[in-house]
Amino acid sequence: MSALNRRKFIGLMSAGLASPYIISSTQAKTLQPNLVSNNNDYPLPDNSLINIDSANEIFPQSVASGDPTDSGVILWTRVNPVKYSEYEPLIFQVCLDNRCESLYLQGEVHPEQLSSLLDYTVKIDLDGQLEPNLTYYYRFIYKNTSSKIGRCRTTSSNHSTLKSLKIAVLTCQDFTNGYYGVYDFIAKDSSIDFVVHLGDFVYESTGDKSFQANKYDDRKIKLPSESGYASNLDDYRHIYRRYRQDEYLTTCLESHTWIMTTDDHETANDCYWDYARDTLGAPDHPYTKDSEFGNNEDLLRSLKLSAQQAWFEYTPTRAALTYDKTHPHQFLRIYRHFTFGDLVTINMLDTRTYRTAPPCGDRRVFERYFPIGCTDQYDAENSMLGYQQKEWLFNNLSSSKTVWNVLGNQTYMGRLAATLLGQELALLTVDSWDGFQYERRQLAEFIRNYNVDNFVVLTGDLHCNISSYLKVDYEKSLNTGLDNNLVGVEFMTPSVTSTTFLDGIEQHLKYKVKKPELLRLFSEGAVRINNPHIKTFNANDHGYATLEFFHDHCEWVVYGVSKETSGHGLTKRPISHVHKYTELPWLFKKSTRNIN
């Protein structure tokens, strides 16, 4: 292959730990297979002598890949600290077959780059080393023991013609609240090109009675701090390690290349940045609520830093970590974008690190949910994105050349409210974009004024599935598409296991409402009457979605998968099927009858 012939031996970096966070091909000792015989210090491992039976013992969280480019991916693993040796290098191999018999690229990670600093996790950045739009297989070898073999994929080269792209879309996977059968279906689906996770990959709480069932004995988590909420870096790391040992999740991480961002529960429920005190806003965390901690700014700021570091360590992401910074806004930047030929650009957002406080208070549930009489949501000072991220996003959107322009977004961008003749009476929540309506309109007007083509927002968080229109003005109730008021569409994927929308509303209400009454209040018909921009609405099911892009249309399919069981007999069923055509502004509801 041409790229293989172009590449040269890349020597081990001379300065030890100059950049230990993501090991690039200029920092690791990498070698092409056709040069191995010319270097006696770097022999190929003998496959017949490699131990494959102790993979889980050496690599307890297995392997993963993520953040694809047209010439590489991030490879991830973690070595069991008990098995760590300061003299043992970690070898990685990229191969052309799933038995790792046809070697494409091999490298070595110096023992000093594998340390307690990042909890013995390691990321290899292969950007610049692989070919576009190809599938590879990879593994790590440590102490002559092979990890499981993972599968990864690169994107198409920029501006090349791409016929189609299919992604799986997921969100909200509370480990304590059910089983991950969803991931068995995704892992086995070879038609999926990449997996997109929109946040709440982990939950910081391990037994919050307001939304965690705590009825699955084999899914309970006990934190090192013995608190019910992650309070430090050890706690967050412990949560990731436990989640990453789930068999179905592990297999799916091995089987696909992932694109990930965060929502609130990677840190704390409904979190934001308290600019007045320059610290994390975490209204439901003990550091805020419990008098013994005194709502201390330093504790809250440290909590955010710990959450950021653990997420960086345990996800296969090329996010930018600056370890010597002590402010969360400089410590880690996770918003980034991905381009798939001429077809799709995905901008992955971070709407928790920089957002301002919710507009109508944050200490009591009713100030974030059903905020009767709230008018602060129109304030121009409220921001979901922060100045730098918004500028980055607008620049990306205005310069995009792809057919589809996609946002990986956390909270619902459309309006969800009780209305009368199109006029907003009461919002469901101001934790979503409804609490940041000035910036929402600013984004919508930008999309319209710059003629951003085929704008699609992917959303999680609300634990239901929705397809809806994005508007400049939601008080114009008609969806004609003839008045430049429609600027795009939004697709929300259901939660993997986290409490459904209806159960969550029931638990948040101070005065309990019976489930049948909620079913009527939040039926698809009732929601659509109040919010005519919503095309489909389902608040009952757990599951995942797929979105397949073509040059003339995209196809959104939502699957329901039970969280109550795992293993034999698990089934999935299509519960929503929607098309959006590039030449038309409207969504078209399709039959689920022939969907597999």
Side-chain angles (χ1 to χ4, degrees):
M1 294 184 181
S2 59
L4 209 153
N5 294 330
R6 288 197 307 268
R7 291 194 293 269
K8 300 179 180 178
F9 174 80
I10 304 171
L12 182 68
M13 67 175 187
S14 60
L17 291 178
S19 181
Y21 316 119
I22 300 181
I23 300 171
S24 71
S25 56
T26 60
Q27 296 165 335
K29 184 178 182 180
T30 61
L31 205 64
Q32 287 78 8
N34 62 338
L35 295 181
V36 170
S37 60
N38 297 328
N39 190 316
N40 295 328
D41 295 330
Y42 204 82
L44 278 170
D46 186 341
N47 278 2
S48 65
L49 300 178
I50 293 175
N51 177 13
I52 61 174
D53 297 325
S54 301
N56 292 340
E57 185 178 345
I58 300 293
F59 304 98
Q61 284 75 39
S62 194
V63 300
S65 68
D67 279 21
T69 67
D70 62 358
S71 63
V73 295
I74 295 287
L75 302 184
W76 181 98
T77 195
R78 177 176 182 263
V79 171
N80 188 343
V82 176
K83 302 297 182 179
Y84 170 73
S85 170
E86 60 180 320
Y87 306 108
E88 188 80 23
L90 175 69
I91 294 170
F92 62 91
Q93 293 181 332
V94 179
C95 303
L96 300 177
D97 69 300
N98 61 7
R99 297 174 62 87
C100 284
E101 293 175 346
S102 179
L103 185 62
Y104 181 80
L105 182 68
Q106 179 171 266
E108 176 185 286
V109 178
H110 194 280
E112 291 182 18
Q113 293 176 296
L114 185 67
S115 70
S116 61
L117 180 66
L118 295 180
D119 204 25
Y120 301 93
T121 63
V122 64
K123 298 182 184 186
I124 308 296
D125 190 352
L126 294 179
D127 192 36
Q129 299 294 316
L130 307 180
E131 296 285 344
N133 199 27
L134 287 179
T135 296
Y136 296 87
Y137 299 86
Y138 65 95
R139 67 176 175 178
F140 292 86
I141 300 171
Y142 194 69
K143 292 187 174 180
N144 214 42
T145 297
S146 172
S147 69
K148 292 182 179 178
I149 295 172
R151 172 185 175 274
C152 64
R153 184 177 179 84
T154 54
T155 67
S156 297
S157 58
N158 291 350
H159 310 303
S160 65
T161 300
L162 183 62
K163 181 180 178 181
S164 66
L165 176 76
K166 186 175 183 180
I167 59 175
V169 187
L170 298 123
T171 190
C172 302
Q173 54 188 53
D174 185 348
F175 182 89
T176 69
N177 209 48
Y179 299 100
Y180 288 167
V182 160
Y183 285 115
D184 188 41
F185 294 109
I186 298 174
K188 294 175 180 177
D189 190 345
S190 60
S191 72
I192 292 172
D193 295 308
F194 300 97
V195 173
V196 173
H197 201 290
L198 298 172
D200 289 349
F201 183 84
V202 300
Y203 274 64
E204 85 291 359
S205 56
T206 59
D208 189 321
K209 294 180 180 179
S210 69
F211 64 90
Q212 291 178 307
N214 207 29
K215 67 178 183 179
Y216 307 91
D217 290 339
D218 57 337
R219 308 288 281 186
K220 292 181 179 179
I221 298 175
K222 184 177 181 180
L223 298 178
S225 67
E226 299 187 354
S227 171
Y229 300 83
S231 302
N232 52 47
L233 181 56
D234 286 344
D235 283 349
Y236 283 113
R237 284 172 167 172
H238 181 82
I239 291 170
Y240 279 98
R241 288 196 293 266
R242 185 67 188 94
Y243 276 58
R244 291 291 306 270
Q245 287 177 312
D246 180 272
E247 177 184 0
Y248 288 134
L249 176 58
T250 296
T251 302
C252 195
L253 284 159
E254 295 164 355
S255 303
H256 293 289
T257 295
W258 287 49
I259 297 170
M260 304 173 67
T261 186
T262 65
D263 195 10
D264 52 341
H265 286 288
E266 282 88 351
T267 304
N269 186 50
D270 288 358
C271 60
Y272 59 91
W273 194 252
D274 184 343
Y275 284 90
R277 302 198 309 150
D278 195 28
T279 194
L280 175 70
D284 299 327
H285 193 276
Y287 282 173
T288 300
K289 294 173 62 178
D290 293 358
S291 59
E292 64 178 296
F293 300 113
N295 196 21
N296 183 272
E297 293 96 330
D298 293 334
L299 281 176
L300 288 163
R301 196 178 298 113
S302 177
L303 187 72
K304 177 64 174 179
L305 290 166
S306 295
Q308 288 177 312
Q309 180 166 340
W311 182 85
F312 175 84
E313 291 172 351
Y314 279 89
T315 58
T317 49
R318 194 183 286 103
L321 180 73
T322 308
Y323 196 76
D324 59 353
K325 298 296 183 182
T326 59
H327 194 288
H329 290 183
Q330 284 81 51
F331 184 66
L332 180 68
R333 199 193 96 169
I334 68 172
Y335 58 86
R336 58 213 192 281
H337 79 281
F338 303 87
T339 302
F340 304 86
D342 65 340
L343 190 60
V344 180
T345 297
I346 300 179
N347 294 280
M348 296 296 282
L349 301 182
D350 175 1
T351 62
R352 289 291 176 182
T353 300
Y354 315 102
R355 69 154 66 189
T356 55
C360 298
D362 64 1
R363 296 299 179 85
R364 298 193 309 273
V365 166
F366 269 86
E367 291 179 336
R368 282 173 276 152
Y369 301 91
F370 304 104
I372 305 298
C374 177
T375 59
D376 294 347
Q377 66 266 31
Y378 308 111
D379 194 330
E381 297 301 315
N382 296 338
S383 178
M384 180 78 78
L385 301 172
Y387 175 78
Q388 288 185 329
Q389 182 176 200
K390 183 162 60 177
E391 184 178 41
W392 165 86
L393 175 61
F394 284 8
N395 285 337
N396 282 354
L397 291 172
S398 63
S399 61
S400 174
K401 305 297 182 183
T402 54
V403 176
W404 297 93
N405 290 283
V406 181
L407 296 193
N409 166 66
Q410 288 70 49
T411 58
Y412 187 52
M413 186 171 285
R415 187 173 72 179
L416 192 55
T419 64
L420 179 64
L421 300 176
Q423 300 297 306
E424 176 186 303
L425 297 180
L427 298 170
L428 175 69
T429 173
V430 290
D431 184 64
S432 68
W433 281 84
D434 271 332
F436 303 82
Q437 293 192 30
Y438 180 88
E439 189 168 70
R440 179 173 68 186
R441 185 174 183 120
Q442 189 179 34
L443 174 59
E445 289 178 342
F446 182 90
I447 298 300
R448 180 179 62 186
N449 296 340
Y450 279 83
N451 297 313
V452 176
D453 290 332
N454 299 303
F455 184 59
V456 176
V457 173
L458 299 178
T459 299
D461 181 69
L462 205 54
H463 307 173
C464 57
N465 76 76
I466 297 174
S467 62
S468 62
Y469 297 108
L470 294 167
K471 294 184 173 184
V472 175
D473 185 353
Y474 285 90
E475 294 188 353
K476 293 182 180 180
S477 60
L478 295 179
N479 302 320
T480 65
L482 303 177
D483 56 1
N484 292 322
N485 196 37
L486 300 185
V487 294
V489 297
E490 181 170 15
F491 297 125
M492 176 182 287
T493 188
S495 68
V496 174
T497 59
S498 303
T499 303
T500 63
F501 174 79
L502 288 179
D503 288 338
I505 292 298
E506 183 181 19
Q507 291 169 354
H508 274 302
L509 287 173
K510 184 176 181 180
Y511 302 101
K512 296 291 185 179
V513 177
K514 294 180 180 179
K515 190 66 170 285
E517 295 172 351
L518 279 176
L519 284 171
R520 288 193 295 271
L521 183 62
F522 290 103
S523 67
E524 181 174 24
V527 168
R528 292 184 63 192
I529 287 173
N530 282 275
N531 302 274
H533 54 282
I534 291 179
K535 183 73 173 180
T536 62
F537 179 89
N538 179 316
N540 301 311
D541 293 288
H542 298 280
Y544 73 103
T546 62
L547 180 58
E548 189 164 13
F549 296 96
F550 302 90
H551 276 259
D552 63 346
H553 76 281
C554 70
E555 182 177 10
W556 173 256
V557 180
V558 181
Y559 296 94
V561 181
S562 172
K563 67 168 185 174
E564 298 300 329
T565 59
S566 62
H568 298 296
L570 189 67
T571 61
K572 70 174 182 178
R573 59 188 178 88
I575 56 178
S576 183
H577 182 199
V578 176
H579 275 207
K580 167 66 174 68
Y581 295 92
T582 55
E583 300 301 323
L584 297 172
W586 306 296
L587 293 167
F588 293 87
K589 189 175 180 179
K590 301 288 186 175
S591 170
T592 59
R593 186 174 303 169
N594 297 320
I595 298 294
N596 296 322

